[in-house]
Amino acid sequence: MKGKSLMLPILLPLLSIIGVVSWAVGLGVVFIVLNETSLGVNGVIILGLVLIIVVPVIAWLVLSVTDKSKKESS
Amino acid sequence: MNSSSVVEQEHLPETTTGIDHRKMLMWAFLGSECMFFGSLITTYLVYEGKSLVGPYPADLFDIPVTSVSTFVLLMSSLMMVLAYNGISNGNVRRFRAWILCTAILGATFLGFQVFEFYEFAHHGLTPRTNLFGTSFFTLTGFHGAHVTVGVIWLLSLFLYSFRGNLAKDHGLNVDMAALYWHFVDVVWIIIFTVVYLIGVAGEL
């Protein structure tokens, strides 16, 4: 039990570090590749703007769908 | 004394300042961070325009791209407010959704920084090239490191929300992460204005 509680403060940040590094480096590489295409730097700007819009919209949709199903079940 | 004020008093932390010691420590830490970034920004300004060899800021800075990355970070602050609102109202699902958005947008900002650093290195600017390179990479690199720590903190809170009770102490753990995140955001606004906008405008 004690080992389990000690694991949590190590495991959670470790998982977070892996998540951050993979997303940031992965997206950085995508930006570099996009910049090399005919779109150039406009491709980077478009992808950035798409992410700004898409990420909150997905969160909002997920919340509204789960809220709706929760109301229906109750 | 009415019953509601009795309830309020019961929830107040028993400290000399009336503020929880952990939150007070966070404010003190942010005060020290102000001095840290203040000294880095001042160093950049002192060395501005003193590089003997290129490339210079106007040769490299792409204001539209950096504007988008700044907007990404600003939007992440809005998501953080929504996450804090969720946990303050005891709605853990809302908190999870918005804090994950904050972390994703924070990591997206880091992706922009990876791209920018790669492009600068590709055009011959490294920390060793000139005074501009040294002061620029030190300042933006330290800011990027702070954003990285912030995203790790946010993701840890997201994962911890499946195990612990984050709503206790009026969501103090989330409150402190939010304070740190807004601070990092404000610092970037200053860096963007002082380094990028004034840097390019000064050389036009």
Side-chain angles (χ1 to χ4, degrees):
Chain A
M1 192 69 188
K2 203 174 182 180
K4 216 175 181 181
S5 63
L6 277 172
M7 275 295 284
L8 211 60
I10 300 163
L11 198 68
L12 295 189
L14 201 69
L15 284 171
S16 307
I17 290 166
I18 293 165
V20 177
V21 171
S22 38
W23 181 274
V25 174
L27 197 63
V29 171
V30 171
F31 284 149
I32 291 162
V33 171
L34 264 177
N35 194 36
E36 302 293 322
T37 63
S38 56
L39 281 169
V41 84
N42 289 329
V44 178
I45 293 169
I46 291 165
L47 181 61
L49 291 173
V50 165
L51 280 169
I52 292 172
I53 297 162
V54 165
V55 171
V57 166
I58 289 173
W60 179 76
L61 282 174
V62 168
L63 280 174
S64 7
V65 166
T66 49
D67 277 347
K68 213 175 178 182
S69 59
K70 209 176 175 186
K71 269 181 192 169
E72 280 171 3
S73 64
S74 62
Chain B
M1 195 181 277
N2 61 29
S3 60
S4 66
S5 61
V6 170
V7 173
E8 268 175 33
Q9 211 156 34
E10 278 171 3
H11 284 88
L12 281 173
E14 287 175 13
T15 60
T16 50
T17 55
I19 301 168
D20 194 289
H21 289 314
R22 289 166 290 174
K23 196 168 179 179
M24 200 63 174
L25 187 66
M26 192 65 208
W27 277 111
F29 169 68
L30 292 181
S32 73
E33 288 281 90
C34 282
M35 287 186 268
F36 176 71
F37 277 106
S39 63
L40 286 180
I41 292 167
T42 309
T43 307
Y44 179 85
L45 289 174
V46 166
Y47 289 137
E48 196 185 16
K50 291 195 171 66
S51 294
L52 298 174
V53 291
Y56 302 104
D59 305 330
L60 296 170
F61 288 159
D62 193 334
I63 297 299
V65 173
T66 318
S67 300
V68 174
S69 74
T70 305
F71 191 45
V72 167
L73 207 57
L74 278 173
M75 282 298 285
S76 77
S77 260
L78 173 67
M79 303 295 116
M80 188 73 236
V81 172
L82 293 172
Y84 182 64
N85 180 259
I87 204 74
S88 298
N89 294 323
N91 193 333
V92 182
R93 276 185 328 105
R94 245 166 228 287
F95 163 76
R96 280 181 197 142
W98 294 123
I99 202 135
L100 193 60
C101 280
T102 315
I104 289 172
L105 291 180
T108 303
F109 173 82
L110 291 172
F112 271 104
Q113 207 157 36
V114 168
F115 167 68
E116 193 180 50
F117 282 11
Y118 172 84
E119 284 299 310
F120 287 0
H122 194 66
H123 287 94
L125 186 80
T126 63
R128 286 176 162 194
T129 310
N130 53 19
L131 271 174
F132 163 59
T134 309
S135 51
F136 172 80
F137 280 111
T138 307
L139 176 56
T140 54
F142 266 114
H143 180 266
H146 278 73
V147 174
T148 309
V149 169
V151 178
I152 292 165
W153 192 352
L154 297 175
L155 282 177
S156 298
L157 282 175
F158 170 74
L159 295 171
Y160 188 69
S161 72
F162 292 95
R163 290 290 304 259
N165 179 17
L166 284 173
K168 69 179 178 185
D169 295 336
H170 305 283
L172 185 69
N173 287 329
V174 182
D175 193 9
M176 289 196 294
L179 271 177
Y180 178 81
W181 193 254
H182 294 315
F183 169 77
V184 166
D185 196 1
V186 169
V187 168
W188 180 254
I189 300 300
I190 297 165
I191 292 173
F192 179 60
T193 310
V194 171
V195 176
Y196 289 84
L197 295 181
I198 295 175
V200 169
E203 289 190 27
L204 287 176

Coordinates of all heavy atoms in Angstrom, one line a residue, chain B residues 34-99:
Chain B
C34 N 9.5 37.0 -11.1 CA 9.4 38.3 -11.7 C 10.8 38.9 -11.8 O 11.2 39.5 -12.8 CB 8.5 39.3 -10.9 SG 6.8 39.0 -11.1
M35 N 11.6 38.8 -10.7 CA 13.0 39.3 -10.7 C 13.8 38.5 -11.6 O 14.7 39.1 -12.3 CB 13.5 39.2 -9.3 CG 12.9 40.3 -8.4 SD 13.7 40.3 -6.8 CE 12.6 39.2 -5.9
F36 N 13.6 37.2 -11.7 CA 14.4 36.3 -12.6 C 14.2 36.8 -14.1 O 15.1 37.0 -14.8 CB 14.0 34.9 -12.4 CG 14.6 33.9 -13.3 CD1 16.0 33.6 -13.2 CD2 13.9 33.3 -14.3 CE1 16.6 32.7 -14.0 CE2 14.5 32.4 -15.2 CZ 15.9 32.1 -15.0
F37 N 12.9 36.8 -14.5 CA 12.6 37.2 -15.9 C 12.9 38.7 -16.1 O 13.4 39.0 -17.2 CB 11.2 36.8 -16.2 CG 11.0 35.4 -16.6 CD1 10.4 34.5 -15.7 CD2 11.5 34.9 -17.8 CE1 10.2 33.2 -16.1 CE2 11.3 33.6 -18.1 CZ 10.7 32.7 -17.3
G38 N 12.8 39.5 -15.1 CA 13.1 40.9 -15.2 C 14.6 41.1 -15.6 O 15.0 41.8 -16.5
S39 N 15.5 40.3 -14.9 CA 16.9 40.4 -15.2 C 17.2 39.8 -16.6 O 18.1 40.4 -17.3 CB 17.7 39.6 -14.1 OG 17.4 38.3 -14.1
L40 N 16.5 38.8 -17.0 CA 16.8 38.2 -18.3 C 16.4 39.2 -19.4 O 17.1 39.4 -20.4 CB 16.1 36.9 -18.5 CG 16.7 35.6 -17.8 CD1 15.8 34.4 -18.1 CD2 18.1 35.4 -18.2
I41 N 15.2 39.8 -19.3 CA 14.7 40.8 -20.2 C 15.6 42.0 -20.3 O 16.0 42.5 -21.4 CB 13.2 41.2 -20.0 CG1 12.3 40.0 -20.2 CG2 12.8 42.3 -20.8 CD1 10.9 40.1 -19.6
T42 N 16.1 42.4 -19.1 CA 17.0 43.6 -19.0 C 18.3 43.3 -19.8 O 18.8 44.1 -20.5 CB 17.3 44.0 -17.6 OG1 16.0 44.1 -16.9 CG2 18.0 45.3 -17.5
T43 N 18.8 42.0 -19.5 CA 20.1 41.6 -20.2 C 19.9 41.7 -21.7 O 20.7 42.1 -22.4 CB 20.4 40.2 -19.7 OG1 20.5 40.2 -18.3 CG2 21.8 39.8 -20.3
Y44 N 18.7 41.2 -22.2 CA 18.4 41.2 -23.6 C 18.4 42.6 -24.1 O 19.0 42.9 -25.2 CB 17.1 40.5 -23.9 CG 16.8 40.5 -25.4 CD1 17.2 39.5 -26.2 CD2 16.0 41.6 -25.9 CE1 17.0 39.6 -27.6 CE2 15.7 41.6 -27.3 CZ 16.2 40.6 -28.1 OH 15.9 40.6 -29.5
L45 N 17.8 43.5 -23.4 CA 17.7 44.9 -23.8 C 19.0 45.6 -23.8 O 19.3 46.4 -24.7 CB 16.7 45.7 -23.0 CG 15.2 45.3 -23.2 CD1 14.3 46.0 -22.2 CD2 14.8 45.6 -24.6
V46 N 19.9 45.3 -22.8 CA 21.2 45.9 -22.7 C 22.1 45.5 -23.9 O 22.8 46.3 -24.5 CB 21.9 45.5 -21.4 CG1 23.4 45.8 -21.4 CG2 21.2 46.2 -20.2
Y47 N 21.9 44.3 -24.4 CA 22.8 43.8 -25.5 C 22.1 44.0 -26.8 O 22.7 43.7 -27.9 CB 23.1 42.3 -25.3 CG 24.1 42.0 -24.2 CD1 23.9 41.0 -23.3 CD2 25.2 42.8 -24.0 CE1 24.8 40.7 -22.3 CE2 26.1 42.6 -23.0 CZ 25.9 41.5 -22.2 OH 26.8 41.3 -21.1
E48 N 20.9 44.5 -26.9 CA 20.2 44.7 -28.1 C 20.9 45.7 -29.1 O 21.3 46.8 -28.7 CB 18.8 45.3 -27.8 CG 17.8 45.1 -29.0 CD 16.5 45.8 -28.8 OE1 16.4 46.6 -27.9 OE2 15.6 45.5 -29.6
G49 N 21.1 45.2 -30.3 CA 21.8 46.1 -31.3 C 23.3 46.1 -31.2 O 23.9 46.9 -31.8
K50 N 23.8 45.3 -30.3 CA 25.3 45.3 -30.0 C 26.0 44.1 -30.7 O 27.2 43.9 -30.5 CB 25.6 45.4 -28.5 CG 25.2 46.7 -27.9 CD 25.8 46.9 -26.5 CE 25.6 48.3 -26.0 NZ 24.2 48.6 -25.7
S51 N 25.2 43.3 -31.4 CA 25.9 42.2 -32.1 C 26.8 42.7 -33.2 O 26.4 43.5 -34.0 CB 24.8 41.2 -32.7 OG 24.1 40.7 -31.6
L52 N 28.0 42.1 -33.3 CA 28.9 42.5 -34.4 C 28.7 41.8 -35.7 O 29.0 42.3 -36.8 CB 30.4 42.3 -33.9 CG 30.8 43.1 -32.6 CD1 32.2 42.7 -32.2 CD2 30.7 44.6 -32.9
V53 N 28.1 40.6 -35.6 CA 27.8 39.8 -36.8 C 26.4 39.4 -36.8 O 25.8 39.3 -35.7 CB 28.7 38.5 -36.9 CG1 30.2 38.9 -37.2 CG2 28.6 37.7 -35.7
G54 N 25.8 39.1 -38.0 CA 24.4 38.7 -38.1 C 24.3 37.2 -37.8 O 25.3 36.5 -37.5
P55 N 23.1 36.6 -37.9 CA 21.8 37.3 -38.3 C 21.3 38.1 -37.2 O 21.5 37.9 -36.0 CB 20.9 36.1 -38.6 CG 21.5 34.9 -37.9 CD 22.9 35.2 -37.8
Y56 N 20.5 39.2 -37.6 CA 19.9 40.1 -36.6 C 18.4 39.8 -36.5 O 17.8 39.1 -37.3 CB 20.1 41.5 -37.1 CG 21.6 41.8 -37.3 CD1 22.1 41.9 -38.6 CD2 22.4 42.1 -36.2 CE1 23.5 42.1 -38.8 CE2 23.8 42.3 -36.4 CZ 24.3 42.4 -37.6 OH 25.6 42.6 -37.8
P57 N 17.7 40.3 -35.5 CA 16.3 40.0 -35.2 C 15.4 40.2 -36.5 O 14.6 39.3 -36.8 CB 15.9 41.0 -34.1 CG 17.1 41.3 -33.4 CD 18.2 41.2 -34.4
A58 N 15.6 41.3 -37.2 CA 14.7 41.5 -38.3 C 14.9 40.5 -39.5 O 14.0 40.3 -40.3 CB 14.9 42.9 -38.9
D59 N 16.1 39.8 -39.5 CA 16.3 38.8 -40.5 C 15.6 37.5 -40.2 O 15.4 36.7 -41.1 CB 17.8 38.5 -40.6 CG 18.7 39.8 -40.8 OD1 18.1 40.7 -41.5 OD2 19.8 39.8 -40.3
L60 N 15.3 37.3 -39.0 CA 14.7 36.0 -38.6 C 13.3 36.0 -38.1 O 12.6 35.0 -38.4 CB 15.6 35.4 -37.4 CG 17.1 35.1 -37.8 CD1 17.8 34.8 -36.5 CD2 17.2 34.0 -38.7
F61 N 12.9 37.0 -37.3 CA 11.6 37.0 -36.7 C 10.5 36.9 -37.7 O 10.4 37.7 -38.7 CB 11.4 38.2 -35.8 CG 12.2 38.1 -34.5 CD1 12.4 39.2 -33.8 CD2 12.7 36.9 -34.0 CE1 13.2 39.2 -32.6 CE2 13.4 36.8 -32.9 CZ 13.7 38.0 -32.2
D62 N 9.5 36.0 -37.5 CA 8.3 35.9 -38.3 C 7.2 36.2 -37.5 O 6.6 35.4 -36.7 CB 8.2 34.4 -38.9 CG 7.2 34.3 -40.0 OD1 6.3 35.2 -40.0 OD2 7.4 33.5 -40.9
I63 N 6.8 37.5 -37.5 CA 5.7 38.0 -36.5 C 4.4 37.2 -36.7 O 3.8 36.9 -35.7 CB 5.6 39.5 -36.7 CG1 6.9 40.2 -36.3 CG2 4.4 40.0 -35.8 CD1 7.4 40.0 -34.9
P64 N 3.9 36.9 -37.9 CA 2.6 36.2 -38.0 C 2.6 34.8 -37.2 O 1.7 34.5 -36.5 CB 2.4 36.0 -39.5 CG 3.1 37.1 -40.1 CD 4.3 37.4 -39.3
V65 N 3.7 34.1 -37.4 CA 3.8 32.8 -36.7 C 3.9 32.9 -35.2 O 3.2 32.3 -34.5 CB 5.1 32.0 -37.2 CG1 5.3 30.7 -36.4 CG2 5.0 31.6 -38.7
T66 N 4.7 33.9 -34.8 CA 4.8 34.1 -33.3 C 3.5 34.7 -32.7 O 3.2 34.4 -31.6 CB 6.0 35.0 -33.0 OG1 7.1 34.7 -33.8 CG2 6.4 34.9 -31.5
S67 N 2.8 35.4 -33.6 CA 1.5 36.0 -33.1 C 0.5 34.8 -32.9 O -0.2 34.8 -31.9 CB 0.9 36.9 -34.1 OG 1.7 38.0 -34.4
V68 N 0.5 33.8 -33.8 CA -0.3 32.6 -33.6 C 0.1 31.9 -32.3 O -0.8 31.5 -31.5 CB -0.3 31.7 -34.8 CG1 -1.1 30.4 -34.6 CG2 -0.9 32.4 -36.0
S69 N 1.4 31.7 -32.1 CA 1.8 31.0 -30.9 C 1.4 31.7 -29.6 O 1.1 31.1 -28.6 CB 3.3 30.6 -30.9 OG 4.1 31.8 -30.7
T70 N 1.5 33.1 -29.7 CA 1.1 33.9 -28.6 C -0.4 33.7 -28.3 O -0.9 33.6 -27.2 CB 1.4 35.4 -28.9 OG1 2.8 35.5 -29.2 CG2 1.1 36.3 -27.7
F71 N -1.2 33.7 -29.4 CA -2.7 33.5 -29.3 C -3.0 32.1 -28.7 O -3.9 32.0 -27.9 CB -3.3 33.7 -30.6 CG -4.8 33.8 -30.6 CD1 -5.5 34.6 -29.7 CD2 -5.6 33.1 -31.5 CE1 -6.8 34.6 -29.6 CE2 -7.0 33.1 -31.4 CZ -7.6 33.9 -30.5
V72 N -2.2 31.1 -29.0 CA -2.4 29.8 -28.5 C -2.2 29.8 -26.9 O -3.0 29.3 -26.2 CB -1.3 28.8 -29.1 CG1 -1.3 27.5 -28.3 CG2 -1.7 28.5 -30.5
L73 N -1.2 30.5 -26.5 CA -0.9 30.6 -25.0 C -2.0 31.4 -24.3 O -2.4 31.1 -23.2 CB 0.5 31.3 -24.8 CG 1.2 30.9 -23.5 CD1 1.4 29.4 -23.4 CD2 2.5 31.6 -23.4
L74 N -2.5 32.5 -25.0 CA -3.6 33.3 -24.4 C -4.8 32.5 -24.3 O -5.5 32.5 -23.3 CB -3.8 34.5 -25.3 CG -2.9 35.7 -25.1 CD1 -3.2 36.8 -26.2 CD2 -3.1 36.3 -23.7
M75 N -5.1 31.7 -25.3 CA -6.3 30.8 -25.3 C -6.2 29.8 -24.2 O -7.2 29.4 -23.5 CB -6.5 30.1 -26.6 CG -7.1 31.0 -27.7 SD -8.8 31.6 -27.2 CE -9.7 30.1 -27.5
S76 N -5.0 29.3 -23.9 CA -4.8 28.3 -22.9 C -5.1 28.9 -21.5 O -5.5 28.2 -20.6 CB -3.3 27.7 -22.9 OG -2.4 28.6 -22.4
S77 N -4.8 30.2 -21.4 CA -5.2 30.8 -20.1 C -6.7 30.9 -19.9 O -7.1 30.7 -18.8 CB -4.6 32.3 -20.1 OG -3.4 32.3 -19.3
L78 N -7.4 31.1 -21.0 CA -8.9 31.1 -20.9 C -9.4 29.7 -20.5 O -10.2 29.5 -19.6 CB -9.5 31.5 -22.2 CG -11.0 31.3 -22.4 CD1 -11.7 32.3 -21.5 CD2 -11.4 31.6 -23.8
M79 N -8.7 28.6 -21.1 CA -9.1 27.2 -20.7 C -8.8 27.0 -19.3 O -9.6 26.2 -18.6 CB -8.3 26.2 -21.6 CG -8.4 26.4 -23.1 SD -10.0 26.1 -23.7 CE -10.4 27.7 -24.4
M80 N -7.7 27.6 -18.8 CA -7.3 27.4 -17.3 C -8.4 28.0 -16.4 O -8.8 27.4 -15.4 CB -6.0 28.1 -17.1 CG -5.4 27.8 -15.8 SD -4.7 26.1 -15.6 CE -5.6 25.6 -14.1
V81 N -8.9 29.1 -16.8 CA -10.0 29.8 -16.0 C -11.2 28.9 -16.0 O -11.9 28.7 -15.0 CB -10.3 31.2 -16.6 CG1 -11.6 31.8 -15.9 CG2 -9.2 32.1 -16.5
L82 N -11.6 28.3 -17.2 CA -12.7 27.4 -17.2 C -12.5 26.1 -16.4 O -13.4 25.7 -15.7 CB -13.0 27.0 -18.7 CG -13.5 28.1 -19.6 CD1 -13.5 27.6 -21.1 CD2 -14.8 28.6 -19.2
A83 N -11.3 25.6 -16.4 CA -10.9 24.4 -15.5 C -11.1 24.8 -14.1 O -11.6 24.0 -13.3 CB -9.5 24.0 -15.8
Y84 N -10.6 26.0 -13.7 CA -10.7 26.4 -12.3 C -12.1 26.6 -11.9 O -12.5 26.2 -10.7 CB -9.9 27.7 -12.0 CG -9.9 28.1 -10.6 CD1 -9.3 27.3 -9.6 CD2 -10.5 29.3 -10.2 CE1 -9.4 27.7 -8.3 CE2 -10.5 29.7 -8.9 CZ -10.0 28.9 -7.9 OH -10.0 29.2 -6.6
N85 N -12.9 27.2 -12.8 CA -14.3 27.3 -12.5 C -15.0 26.0 -12.3 O -15.9 25.9 -11.4 CB -15.0 28.1 -13.7 CG -16.4 28.3 -13.5 OD1 -17.2 27.6 -14.1 ND2 -16.8 29.3 -12.7
G86 N -14.6 25.0 -13.1 CA -15.2 23.6 -13.0 C -14.9 23.1 -11.6 O -15.8 22.6 -10.9
I87 N -13.6 23.1 -11.2 CA -13.3 22.5 -9.9 C -13.9 23.3 -8.7 O -14.2 22.8 -7.7 CB -11.7 22.3 -9.7 CG1 -11.4 21.2 -8.7 CG2 -11.0 23.6 -9.3 CD1 -11.6 19.9 -9.2
S88 N -14.0 24.6 -8.9 CA -14.6 25.5 -7.8 C -16.0 25.1 -7.6 O -16.5 25.2 -6.5 CB -14.5 27.0 -8.2 OG -13.2 27.4 -8.3
N89 N -16.7 24.7 -8.7 CA -18.1 24.3 -8.6 C -18.3 22.8 -8.3 O -19.4 22.3 -8.3 CB -18.9 24.7 -9.9 CG -19.0 26.2 -10.0 OD1 -19.1 26.9 -9.1 ND2 -18.9 26.6 -11.3
G90 N -17.2 22.1 -8.1 CA -17.2 20.7 -7.7 C -17.5 19.8 -9.0 O -17.8 18.6 -8.8
N91 N -17.4 20.4 -10.2 CA -17.6 19.6 -11.4 C -16.3 19.1 -12.0 O -15.6 19.8 -12.7 CB -18.3 20.5 -12.4 CG -18.9 19.7 -13.6 OD1 -18.4 18.6 -13.9 ND2 -19.9 20.2 -14.2
V92 N -15.9 17.9 -11.6 CA -14.6 17.3 -11.9 C -14.5 17.0 -13.4 O -13.5 17.2 -14.0 CB -14.3 16.0 -11.1 CG1 -12.9 15.5 -11.4 CG2 -14.4 16.3 -9.6
R93 N -15.6 16.6 -14.0 CA -15.6 16.3 -15.5 C -15.3 17.6 -16.3 O -14.5 17.5 -17.2 CB -17.0 15.8 -15.9 CG -17.2 14.3 -15.7 CD -18.5 13.7 -16.2 NE -19.6 14.7 -16.2 CZ -20.0 15.3 -17.3 NH1 -19.5 15.1 -18.4 NH2 -21.1 16.1 -17.2
R94 N -15.9 18.7 -15.9 CA -15.6 20.0 -16.6 C -14.1 20.3 -16.4 O -13.4 20.8 -17.3 CB -16.5 21.1 -16.0 CG -17.4 21.6 -17.0 CD -18.5 22.5 -16.4 NE -19.8 22.0 -16.9 CZ -20.2 22.3 -18.2 NH1 -19.4 23.0 -19.0 NH2 -21.3 21.8 -18.6
F95 N -13.7 20.1 -15.1 CA -12.3 20.4 -14.8 C -11.3 19.6 -15.7 O -10.4 20.2 -16.3 CB -12.0 20.1 -13.3 CG -10.5 20.0 -13.0 CD1 -9.7 21.1 -12.9 CD2 -9.9 18.8 -12.9 CE1 -8.4 21.0 -12.7 CE2 -8.6 18.6 -12.6 CZ -7.8 19.8 -12.5
R96 N -11.6 18.3 -15.8 CA -10.7 17.4 -16.6 C -10.7 17.9 -18.1 O -9.6 17.9 -18.7 CB -11.3 16.0 -16.5 CG -10.9 15.3 -15.3 CD -11.4 13.9 -15.2 NE -11.3 13.3 -13.9 CZ -12.2 12.5 -13.4 NH1 -13.3 12.2 -14.1 NH2 -12.1 12.1 -12.2
A97 N -11.9 18.2 -18.6 CA -11.9 18.5 -20.1 C -11.1 19.8 -20.3 O -10.3 19.9 -21.2 CB -13.4 18.8 -20.5
W98 N -11.3 20.8 -19.5 CA -10.7 22.1 -19.7 C -9.2 22.1 -19.4 O -8.4 22.8 -20.0 CB -11.4 23.3 -19.0 CG -12.8 23.5 -19.6 CD1 -13.9 23.4 -18.9 CD2 -13.1 23.7 -21.0 NE1 -15.0 23.6 -19.7 CE2 -14.5 23.8 -21.0 CE3 -12.4 23.9 -22.1 CZ2 -15.3 24.0 -22.2 CZ3 -13.1 24.1 -23.3 CH2 -14.5 24.2 -23.3
I99 N -8.8 21.4 -18.4 CA -7.4 21.3 -18.0 C -6.6 20.6 -19.1 O -5.4 20.9 -19.4 CB -7.1 20.8 -16.6 CG1 -5.7 21.3 -16.1 CG2 -7.1 19.3 -16.5 CD1 -5.7 21.8 -14.7

